[in-house]
Amino acid sequence: VETRVAGLSAGQPVTLRAVAADDRGCLFQSCAHYRADSRGELHLGTDASDGGDYTGVEPMGLFWSLAPAAMERPYQRLVPRSTGAPMKVEVLVHEGHSPLGSIPGPVVAKAEVQRLFTAPGVRRIRLKEGVVRGSLFLPPGDGPFPGVIDMYGDEGGLIEFRSSLLASHGFAALSLPYFDFEDLPRVMKKLKLEYFEEAARFLQRHPKVKGPGVGVIGTGKGAELALSMITFLPEVVAAVSISGCSSNTIADLHYGKMTLPGLRFDMKKVSVSESGVFDIFEALDDPANPANSPSVIPVEKAEGHFLLVVGEDDRMWKSSLYAELAIRRLRQHGKENFELLSYPGAGHRIDPPFTPFCQVAMDRVLGVPVVGGGESKAHAHAQEHSWGKIQEFLHLHLG
């Protein structure tokens, strides 16, 4: 979004604020301090902020720094529940530089921008195909399009906004829930790879999907499932793992007579800050411990290609180490079918660009705030860079 301000006096100090509400009416806001140039103008693409929620030249800083307003419950994410309606963001220009948390000065200008998650012509089809549930997003036109399965982590349910954005960029994207949705199991106790196999076969056979194989993208637990899918399912030829583990975790994964036991979290290794924020970084069983070798995903069996995306400041778990373990395993078997994107200062959940950074978020399973790590500017830049690279990778290996 290009943001310009005109009609100010030369050198005038102003505070720019962005305000948005989520689907439940929770208010999010951000602010930054600027000075007008000699013509009384400002351009966020070239002018630097010298205070507020970020500093420096950040054309989209007001968007990625949106955080719950002071009167709201903290630790909430601004993630669209519905992809059909745009997210409305009001951008306001206030007189003077308002300190963080104070009442800003008088408003001298304002405008509303609508952030669309679905391009015109993209179709959303709710899915009940055998045991498979979810939403299929198809780009406009006849196709065929490269097919991608999209999964998130242990928050469960159906999360569609990345799928709708992928469809807006030319992919047939299947947003795939695997628990806590409709008639799927309420909790993630055990998982059957046959469910994911059926989803891959459905997408592969869809008349709008280019063959012969499909791709998969996942975050957290979804990333680890993506690694298992490309390892065991011939239909899957490209996998994007964002902050994933190289071993199976939490829930046992069954496929025919095979079982990958899930690594467990040791709650005795969780630390809690004075403000009540949980740090679970050390809590997962060590996948490099030989005793845990039955849980390792044998990625060397995969014929397809891997893109591993990690934030080096991920505090949810040691995703940089897990990517190293996967790469070591591939190289030991003479394979170079991978690419690593490793981002200093980025945290756990690397979403599409300009998704607001959330260092600490309420964990759906634990019901407490958990630190995900990262620093806002570095994380925002990682999201922007990785999104382009993910699309390049998927186009390269899916056609």
Side-chain angles (χ1 to χ4, degrees):
V1 175
E2 191 168 332
T3 308
R4 293 176 182 269
V5 186
L8 301 170
S9 56
Q12 182 178 345
V14 288
T15 297
L16 263 66
R17 256 173 88 234
V19 181
D22 69 8
D23 311 52
R24 294 163 298 189
C26 172
L27 207 61
F28 290 75
Q29 58 184 21
S30 61
C31 78
H33 299 159
Y34 289 91
R35 281 186 188 276
D37 64 16
S38 57
R39 299 187 305 273
E41 295 180 0
L42 262 183
H43 182 205
L44 267 58
T46 53
D47 293 327
S49 160
D50 55 15
D53 289 318
Y54 61 89
T55 56
V57 179
E58 294 293 335
M60 292 294 288
L62 287 172
F63 293 84
W64 55 249
S65 63
L66 283 162
M71 77 286 276
E72 301 287 358
R73 285 186 302 119
Y75 313 135
Q76 297 186 76
R77 288 189 188 282
L78 181 54
V79 174
R81 299 279 184 274
S82 160
T83 57
M87 182 185 289
K88 295 176 180 175
V89 183
E90 190 172 37
V91 180
L92 304 103
V93 183
H94 297 268
E95 285 182 11
H97 286 168
S98 328
L100 287 172
S102 69
I103 295 170
V107 175
V108 294
K110 62 180 179 179
E112 184 183 86
V113 62
Q114 297 195 350
R115 304 287 287 152
L116 298 169
F117 292 88
T118 309
V122 168
R123 285 197 298 146
R124 172 181 179 267
I125 302 156
R126 282 302 300 278
L127 206 61
K128 256 191 170 167
E129 188 73 25
V131 296
V132 178
R133 302 291 175 264
S135 296
L136 177 63
F137 290 85
L138 294 173
D142 297 331
F145 309 103
V148 182
I149 292 171
D150 176 27
M151 299 177 295
Y152 271 91
D154 61 6
E155 61 267 60
L158 178 65
I159 300 174
E160 298 178 312
F161 76 105
R162 186 165 60 194
S163 300
S164 68
L165 289 170
L166 283 167
S168 300
H169 287 87
F171 296 92
L174 170 55
S175 183
L176 186 69
Y178 46 96
F179 75 103
D180 196 24
F181 180 71
E182 291 184 352
D183 54 356
L184 296 175
R186 302 310 302 163
V187 293
M188 188 172 53
K189 277 193 177 161
K190 63 178 181 179
L191 293 168
K192 290 189 173 179
L193 199 61
E194 283 84 355
Y195 172 78
F196 303 91
E197 182 175 49
E198 196 168 321
R201 286 178 177 170
F202 163 80
L203 191 61
Q204 184 191 36
R205 293 170 184 159
H206 195 282
K208 291 272 190 183
V209 172
K210 216 185 251 189
V214 297
V216 58
I217 178 172
T219 298
K221 178 66 186 176
E224 167 199 314
L225 286 164
L227 296 182
S228 290
M229 288 171 73
I230 192 171
T231 297
F232 296 109
L233 307 180
E235 296 84 359
V236 179
V237 299
V240 180
S241 163
I242 301 172
S243 309
C245 186
S246 51
S247 291
N248 186 54
T249 67
I250 310 165
D252 293 356
L253 181 67
H254 303 275
Y255 186 46
K257 293 180 179 176
M258 181 208 74
T259 298
L260 289 183
L263 296 180
R264 303 293 187 234
F265 279 94
D266 181 353
M267 296 312 286
K268 293 195 288 291
K269 293 182 179 174
V270 173
S271 61
V272 186
S273 72
E274 287 181 12
S275 59
V277 173
F278 283 57
D279 185 336
I280 64 172
F281 185 66
E282 296 288 349
L284 185 68
D285 290 344
D286 179 8
N289 182 335
N292 294 323
S293 61
S295 299
V296 172
I297 301 164
V299 288
E300 70 279 1
K301 293 183 178 179
E303 294 299 323
H305 289 80
F306 298 87
L307 178 62
L308 307 169
V309 183
V310 297
E312 293 174 18
D313 193 32
D314 185 346
R315 294 294 303 174
M316 194 71 76
W317 60 14
K318 302 173 184 180
S319 55
S320 287
L321 168 67
Y322 306 153
E324 272 178 43
L325 292 173
I327 288 169
R328 191 181 307 163
R329 196 173 177 96
L330 289 167
R331 284 196 165 138
Q332 280 170 350
H333 290 82
K335 297 208 163 184
E336 292 289 332
N337 55 340
F338 63 87
E339 191 181 338
L340 172 67
L341 297 176
S342 185
Y343 295 102
H348 180 70
R349 189 160 152 163
I350 298 173
D351 272 329
F354 321 126
T355 303
F357 171 69
C358 190
Q359 189 183 52
V360 176
M362 289 302 292
D363 185 88
R364 184 194 156 281
V365 179
L366 299 173
V368 296
V370 174
V371 63
E375 179 275 316
S376 58
K377 189 186 288 195
H379 192 90
H381 293 175
Q383 291 192 147
E384 190 171 356
H385 182 265
S386 62
W387 183 238
K389 290 292 186 184
I390 287 166
Q391 291 176 65
E392 278 177 28
F393 170 83
L394 292 171
H395 275 302
L396 177 64
H397 297 295
L398 303 177

